[in-house]
Amino acid sequence: MNPLQNVGVDVNNLRETAENGSVAAQYFLGMCYMTGLNTRQDQGEGLQWIKRAAEGGWREAQFMLGQCLHFGTGMQADPAGSLDWYEKAATQGHEAARIVVATLLLQGRGVAKDPVRARDWLRQAMDEGSRKAAVALGRLHEDGIGGERDLEMARQCFRFAAEEGDVEGMYSLALALDPGTAEAPEAAEAMEWLERAAEQGQPLALYELGRRLVTQIGDEAEVARGATLLARAADAGVPLAHYVLGLLHADARLVEADAGTKAVQHLRKGADAGLVEAMVALGSLHYQGGVVPRDVEAAQPVLERAARQGAATAAFLLGMIALNERGDAEAALRWNRQAAAAGHAQARYNLACQLADGRGGMADRVEAARLFADLAAGEGDLAEAAAQALTALEPGGVAAAE
């Protein structure tokens, strides 16, 4: 029974029953006052009745009192006090209370962290059929929180939830089963669960399935289907879906009008959501041009934002802009140092070239030689260029930047 669903409740009769000691009536009367259902809204009065019901052992009242203390509804927030009442309700088998208790113990907000106890509460809830608890418990096993990492136990938890129809369980099981290669025995089952989760609209499943489908080179139908799934995931708020769609449009892999405009729109949405890879892709698109006109002015601010968050490619491109577009060798040296420190090979080569001839600062031929030597020890065109530059970096020689 939920008083919020019964607009015909007689508050006077409910009060009489509550005053005669019925904890159920006390709880429902309290909820009437809390919500103003068929009576004046009075949170103070409502809390008094809910507390009487909670003290009388009514688990819904205990859970509600825990929520009021948790969120500070009608009283001062008290995290420790809320945990006490949540645990009382959880002890009586209240599913939501068990999950909330586990969450509080994992987060440690206002209470001591205790992931071991959190596992115990989730296990109790799962054993009584809670699919949400099964998914949460599976993730703890998967990540090794509250005990040793146990991938098989994680799969068992996810499978329980999935087979009971829980879409989060389906998605989690698909990822847990995914062997990373299509030839493995688990691959087909993993894809089946992913398809089922996507069919029910799970946003991350839509993204993951779409991402996999658009990699099917040569299969235009699968790529188109993948793009449709990614669009649904993007509409559901998955930033990575915007990023992948932006790349598809930027590479002209989707036969649609206004590919450039759509590429920029999707990449910008990913960037606005904080995805560094989307910032880099958007900045690169503007810098290099292609499906959109080359626009260095549009590229620079988004690349700077990505570089501030440690993106090596963004710092490298900013070095190129500084040197080739602005004629600012000093700024180029700073950006190349940042990108090189993050492991960007071409930036290391450019940095070595600048150090060799002193562009942007004092020459440092010793450091330049070290950088060239490290690069020359690798393979490919860059290694060959570094070897040639190292040879040229003899007394009296100058390494020329490309």
Side-chain angles (χ1 to χ4, degrees):
M1 177 182 176
N2 184 342
L4 300 180
Q5 297 174 343
N6 186 3
V7 295
V9 64
D10 188 325
V11 174
N12 292 327
N13 289 339
L14 197 58
R15 173 181 286 277
E16 182 178 349
T17 307
E19 289 174 343
N20 287 332
S22 168
V23 290
Q26 290 166 1
Y27 166 67
F28 292 134
L29 180 61
M31 290 300 296
C32 286
Y33 279 115
M34 292 292 289
T35 61
L37 178 65
N38 289 347
T39 188
R40 71 185 190 286
Q41 186 172 13
D42 186 336
Q43 288 189 337
E45 179 81 4
L47 284 170
Q48 289 183 29
W49 284 109
I50 289 172
K51 187 175 182 181
R52 283 181 63 178
E55 290 171 343
W58 189 258
R59 70 180 192 179
E60 289 294 340
Q62 292 169 344
F63 179 72
M64 179 56 63
L65 188 56
Q67 286 195 306
C68 291
L69 287 165
H70 187 174
F71 297 107
T73 303
M75 60 176 66
Q76 185 174 352
D78 180 358
S82 74
L83 181 62
D84 287 342
W85 285 109
Y86 281 139
E87 286 195 293
K88 285 181 171 65
T91 300
Q92 295 198 72
H94 195 289
E95 177 185 347
R98 285 172 168 165
I99 295 174
V100 171
V101 168
T103 302
L104 292 176
L105 292 174
L106 287 170
Q107 294 175 343
R109 294 182 181 177
V111 299
K113 279 190 176 183
D114 193 338
V116 176
R117 283 177 61 204
R119 273 200 189 196
D120 289 341
W121 281 115
L122 291 174
R123 169 58 66 181
Q124 289 182 42
M126 177 180 164
D127 287 345
E128 293 192 13
S130 172
R131 299 174 297 179
K132 289 183 179 179
V135 173
L137 181 60
R139 289 174 180 161
L140 295 187
H141 283 298
E142 194 171 49
D143 296 334
I145 297 174
E148 293 185 4
R149 191 167 186 242
D150 189 336
L151 297 182
E152 181 54 37
M153 184 60 70
R155 292 189 191 99
Q156 290 180 22
C157 293
F158 295 147
R159 187 178 296 280
F160 168 82
E163 291 179 347
E164 290 295 316
D166 186 89
V167 68
E168 297 298 329
M170 295 175 192
Y171 171 68
S172 298
L173 180 59
L175 297 189
L177 288 172
D178 189 359
T181 172
E183 289 73 28
E186 302 91 346
E189 185 185 4
M191 184 59 77
E192 179 184 345
W193 283 113
L194 191 60
E195 289 272 10
R196 290 180 62 178
E199 285 174 3
Q200 295 193 38
Q202 208 282 351
L204 292 176
L206 290 168
Y207 161 73
E208 183 61 26
L209 183 57
R211 183 190 65 80
R212 296 185 187 190
L213 291 174
V214 297
T215 62
Q216 304 299 311
I217 305 297
D219 193 333
E220 294 184 4
E222 287 292 74
V223 171
R225 179 181 173 229
T228 299
L229 293 172
L230 287 169
R232 289 177 60 194
D235 289 342
V238 180
L240 280 167
H242 284 295
Y243 169 62
V244 176
L245 283 168
L247 294 182
L248 290 171
H249 285 294
D251 293 339
R253 290 193 60 201
L254 299 178
V255 183
E256 294 184 16
D258 301 323
T261 299
K262 291 178 179 177
V264 170
Q265 288 175 343
H266 282 297
L267 291 175
R268 185 165 297 284
K269 286 181 179 179
D272 289 345
L275 285 181
V276 175
E277 54 266 56
M279 299 175 200
V280 174
L282 179 60
S284 299
L285 178 62
H286 283 306
Y287 175 70
Q288 296 170 352
V291 293
V292 296
R294 189 168 185 267
D295 186 345
V296 174
E297 300 305 321
Q300 184 156 344
V302 69
L303 289 173
E304 287 178 348
R305 183 182 173 197
R308 286 195 296 270
Q309 298 186 52
T313 298
F316 162 71
L317 290 174
L318 286 166
M320 297 290 287
I321 291 173
L323 192 62
N324 299 330
E325 310 292 336
R326 314 293 189 200
D328 188 344
E330 185 176 349
L333 187 67
R334 290 197 305 270
W335 288 120
N336 280 327
R337 280 192 183 282
Q338 178 176 326
H344 195 285
Q346 183 65 57
R348 295 180 71 198
Y349 178 83
N350 290 356
L351 175 61
C353 291
Q354 285 195 260
L355 291 172
D357 59 20
R359 281 179 297 166
M362 292 184 62
D364 188 340
R365 298 167 70 84
V366 173
E367 179 66 8
R370 184 189 68 78
L371 289 167
F372 283 138
D374 288 346
L375 290 168
E379 297 180 354
D381 293 342
L382 191 60
E384 183 178 344
Q388 293 174 359
L390 183 61
T391 300
L393 197 64
E394 297 294 336
V398 176
E402 292 187 345

